[in-house]
């Protein structure tokens, strides 16, 4: 199939083709060539939207659990620990749909459902394009906190928290005492107020106030 839709979103029909490839035990590369996508797209699609349908009852997924010589007290520092790795589940195609050892397997089982994956995709798409969920009062309250900060930045061209690495922008933005904190730090740094810059002489001989 051509790669004309290589950069378009996955459709429900393409997700059903992915399920068919998983059931048949096809590799991610083969599935990607069938629908004209990159193999990384197929891998991310399966990994994100596969669901855990059976949880392993063992504390850890160990190959030596049945013949354990340490009383099956599974810990990460156990000398007999042999982590279980399923080539079908953990590598390619990435899910357990169509596995012949489904009934005998005692480890974690993941299944991919195209309908559920497409529904989750549509929900995430609508939420991302819906804009910011804010009321007018919440937006005005946010603007009342942020606007003085930008005015202060234009006046001093140097915020005090840039000199204080232990104060992050996210913490300050989330703090309700942000204006008081900035006024305290600026007052401590500039007791007589923000310094005034001297005029700068341009090439044409004119002076410009910075």
């Amino acid at each position: 199939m051509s790669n004309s839709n290589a950069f378009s979103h996955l459709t429900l029909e393409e997700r059903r083709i992915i399920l068919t490839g998983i059931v048949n035990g096809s590799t991610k590369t083969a599935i990607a060539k069938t629908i004209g996508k990159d193999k990384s797209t197929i891998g991310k699609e399966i990994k994100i939207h596969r669901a855990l349908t059976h949880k392993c009852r063992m504390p850890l997924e160990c190959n030596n659990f049945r013949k354990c010589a340490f009383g099956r007290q599974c810990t990460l520092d156990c000398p007999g620990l042999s982590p279980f790795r399923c080539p079908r589940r953990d590598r390619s195609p990435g899910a357990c749909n169509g596995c012949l050892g489904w009934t005998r397997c005692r480890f974690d089982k993941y299944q991919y459902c195209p309908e559920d994956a497409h529904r989750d995709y549509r929900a995430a798409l609508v939420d991302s394009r819906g804009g910011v969920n804010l009321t007018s009062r919440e937006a005005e309250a946010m603007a009342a906190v942020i606007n003085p900060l930008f005015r202060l930045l234009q006046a001093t061209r140097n915020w005090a928290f840039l000199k204080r690495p232990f104060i992050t922008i996210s913490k300050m933005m989330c703090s309700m005492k942000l204006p008081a904190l900035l006024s305290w730090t600026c007052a401590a740094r500039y007791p007589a107020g923000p310094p005034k810059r001297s005029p700068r002489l341009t090439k044409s001989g004119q002076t410009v106030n910075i």
Side-chain angles (χ1 to χ4, degrees), residues 78-100:
C78 177
L81 178 62
S82 176
F84 172 75
R85 295 290 183 269
C86 178
R88 183 187 183 95
R89 181 197 68 182
D90 301 329
R91 293 187 61 84
S92 191
C96 304
N97 304 71
C99 179
L100 298 178

Side-chain angles (χ1 to χ4, degrees), residues 32 36-37 59 91 93 101 118 123 150-151 168 179 182 194 205:
K37 301 289 185 180
R91 293 187 61 84
H118 194 69
F150 286 105
R151 294 174 183 174
T168 60
L182 284 178

Side-chain angles (χ1 to χ4, degrees), residues 97-109:
N97 304 71
C99 179
L100 298 178
W102 174 271
T103 57
R104 302 188 303 271
C105 181
R106 302 174 60 184
F107 301 101
D108 292 347
K109 301 176 185 178

